[in-house]
Amino acid sequence: MSKQIHHWVAGRLVEGTSGRSSAVYDPATGEKTGSVALADQREVDEAVSTARAAAQDWARSSLSQRAAVMFNFREILHARQDELAMVITAEHGKVLSDAAGEVARGLENVEFATGVPHLVKGSYSEQVSTGVDTYSLRQPLGVVAGITPFNFPVMVPLWMCANAIACGNAFVLKPSEKDPSASLLLAEMWKEAGLPDGVFTVLQGDKVAVDALLAHDDIAAVSFVGSTPIAKSIYETATAAGKRVQALGGAKNHMVVLPDADVDLAADAAVSAGYGAAGERCMAISVVVAVGGIGDRLVDAIASRLPKLRVGPGSSPDTDMGPLITAEHRDRVAGYIDRGSESGATVVVDGRHGELPTSGFFLGATLLDHVEADASVYADEIFGPVLSVVRRDTFGEALELINSNPYANGTAIFTRDGGAARRFQNEVEVGMVGINVAIPVPVAYYSFGGWKASLFGDSHMYGPEGINFYTRGKVVTSRWPDPATSVVDLGFPQTR
Ligand code: NAD
């Protein structure tokens, strides 16, 4: 029987009243497993007004109280990580080990946020003028919203809510309607951790809920992660409404392999970064740039690994790659194989063939070689298990290819040459760079974000920039006359 997936408002599950809902599937079987409520304007208004009231008290809570909640939440999340991973796999499809990895990377952000008393410390300058001191404070914004994508239903919400809540804000999460259940488990855990009701809210929904949040006067800031067209539109709409916005978009991540690289190391990295989570990662490698004479050896090494990738349900321990999120998305991704071939690319491995489960939204790993930069398979964000190899003669040409691409989320270089790696990190116009590391997702005490069409706004997600994003700076300049001049004799010495 399919389950009803509700909102979470004022510390409890709340049934949707809009009359609208959306089907949720198990991508490994293709069966509908649930129906998620889609919030309307009225439900958004009610939830935000509860969050607003909660935010006022929470902003006044002590730093040690907030840190204690974060520590409790960390322990609960850690203890229930397997349960959370199973919920992710059931609706997203990724393999359980990958879902557990997602929870672990989210947990890092909670651990970072336990340090909130230190993170929001201001500075103090004594005696900037006679009897005058100046000091800075960081204060919460009020109610902030997070709108998140389907591909990381736990990690991305944790990128946002851990810091937002630790900084004293109330957080309203609008998860992806494709895999909404994990958000409710997070809500339960926050409650169990002692977070006051109303500080964490889940509003399930689609564009209707998002539009209502963006227009709401009581939403002070919006964090968004998703595709580039939606990121751009959210940034434009919400900044026009006077909100603080960070909107992370799509990606087309290149991995450059120089002629001196260790081919096996590079091929292993390309396979895991290209096909992990069926390529549905914003930091997935989707283009390998083979430089100089390494192309044939590299393509052979990648191709030889693909028959060993076992495609199947993410819940099975024998599976290396799970299904895609929906049947439509699987068909769209598969369409790029013919489009690649029509544009002149060589289809080295065709993921439509080979052993695939008969039900569910599966597609095998696909490898295309000799892809040209003007082909749609190169230009578009495919977001599936299709890896393109582009050949370039020199390091300079590889760099130019990357720097000409509108997306600029992550990139990597594989080489044994420190000088080349150093030049790459300096000259590449991309937000996150890996050197012999294919997926350079920063640890939680740095911040995450791309450049160009991969980020709208000037603030990266989580880490120190997350703390800045979720707080407003205030600077106080105070003058107190010297007590020696006081009319009341306090017994101070006349001179210092
Ligand atoms: P998406 O843009 O379709 O949806 C993201 C969120 O926006 C969801 O909550 C969705 O309900 C909402 N939404 C969708 N259409 C909307 C509309 N017209 N108006 C308002 N809200 C709307 O993205 P997705 O398919 O869920 O996720 C995959 C995309 O996210 C990929 O492009 C991927 O690269 C990107 N992504 C980027 C990062 C990053 O850090 N840059 C991380 C993860 C995913």
Side-chain angles (χ1 to χ4, degrees), residues 146-152 155-156 159 174-179 205-211 214 224-231 233-234 247-253 279-283 325 329 381 383 407 409 432 448-450 453-455 461:
I147 300 157
T148 53
F150 80 83
N151 66 324
F152 286 108
M155 183 183 78
V156 172
W159 282 359
K174 204 303 285 169
S176 168
E177 62 277 39
K178 296 188 179 115
D179 46 11
D206 57 4
K207 182 178 183 342
V208 174
V210 171
D211 287 347
L214 300 186
F224 173 87
V225 175
S227 59
T228 288
I230 312 292
S233 129
I234 289 206
L248 277 59
K252 193 82 189 179
N253 305 313
E280 291 175 329
R281 286 180 182 147
C282 60
M283 289 293 276
I325 185 72
H329 185 55
E381 182 185 34
F383 220 55
Y407 294 108
N409 211 37
M432 292 169 283
F448 178 110
S454 297
L455 173 79
M461 194 76 53

Side-chain angles (χ1 to χ4, degrees), residues 23 69 92 165 200 205 207 295 305 323 340 433 447 463 475 487:
V69 170
H92 176 285
I165 289 174
F200 183 78
K207 182 178 183 342
R305 284 158 168 79
V433 180
S447 297
V475 178
V487 287

Side-chain angles (χ1 to χ4, degrees), residues 400-417:
E400 194 187 324
L401 178 77
I402 300 174
N403 288 350
S404 309
N405 196 289
Y407 294 108
N409 211 37
T411 189
I413 188 164
F414 278 70
T415 181
R416 292 182 168 108
D417 182 335

Side-chain angles (χ1 to χ4, degrees), residues 233-479:
S233 129
I234 289 206
Y235 181 77
E236 288 169 355
T237 311
T239 50
K243 300 181 195 316
R244 190 178 277 210
V245 186
Q246 50 179 185
L248 277 59
K252 193 82 189 179
N253 305 313
H254 298 63
M255 171 176 150
V256 175
V257 184
L258 294 189
D260 69 337
D262 177 330
V263 171
D264 284 323
L265 180 76
D268 284 341
V271 170
S272 106
Y275 304 108
E280 291 175 329
R281 286 180 182 147
C282 60
M283 289 293 276
I285 292 296
S286 53
V287 181
V288 169
V289 189
V291 176
I294 204 165
D296 290 347
R297 279 183 295 140
L298 184 61
V299 169
D300 286 349
I302 296 173
S304 70
R305 284 158 168 79
L306 300 191
K308 295 173 208 143
L309 276 187
R310 295 159 301 179
V311 180
S315 55
S316 157
D318 298 330
T319 297
D320 298 309
M321 191 168 92
L324 280 91
I325 185 72
T326 59
E328 298 72 40
H329 185 55
R330 187 262 323 270
D331 295 345
R332 181 182 161 274
V333 173
Y336 277 100
I337 305 173
D338 287 337
R339 289 167 76 183
S341 147
E342 283 154 22
S343 70
T346 311
V347 182
V348 182
V349 178
D350 188 332
R352 293 168 299 187
H353 307 140
E355 272 183 43
L356 293 180
T358 48
S359 60
F361 313 140
F362 291 96
L363 180 65
T366 294
L367 182 63
L368 305 176
D369 192 11
H370 297 288
V371 170
E372 295 297 337
D374 57 1
S376 63
V377 71
Y378 173 78
D380 298 352
E381 182 185 34
I382 299 176
F383 220 55
V386 176
L387 184 62
S388 296
V389 178
V390 176
R391 311 257 186 147
R392 285 292 179 269
D393 290 333
T394 63
F395 170 87
E397 287 170 17
L399 191 63
E400 194 187 324
L401 178 77
I402 300 174
N403 288 350
S404 309
N405 196 289
Y407 294 108
N409 211 37
T411 189
I413 188 164
F414 278 70
T415 181
R416 292 182 168 108
D417 182 335
R422 192 163 180 275
R423 186 151 168 211
F424 185 75
Q425 79 176 29
N426 181 254
E427 294 181 18
V428 76
E429 293 167 11
V430 173
M432 292 169 283
V433 180
I435 296 171
N436 297 317
V437 171
I439 304 198
V441 174
V443 286
Y445 37 97
Y446 284 80
S447 297
F448 178 110
W451 289 10
K452 302 198 277 190
S454 297
L455 173 79
F456 298 86
D458 55 8
S459 178
H460 288 199
M461 194 76 53
Y462 71 72
E465 294 196 35
I467 298 294
N468 278 349
F469 184 77
Y470 291 123
T471 52
R472 285 191 284 198
K474 184 182 274 182
V475 178
V476 181
T477 303
S478 82
R479 183 197 305 277

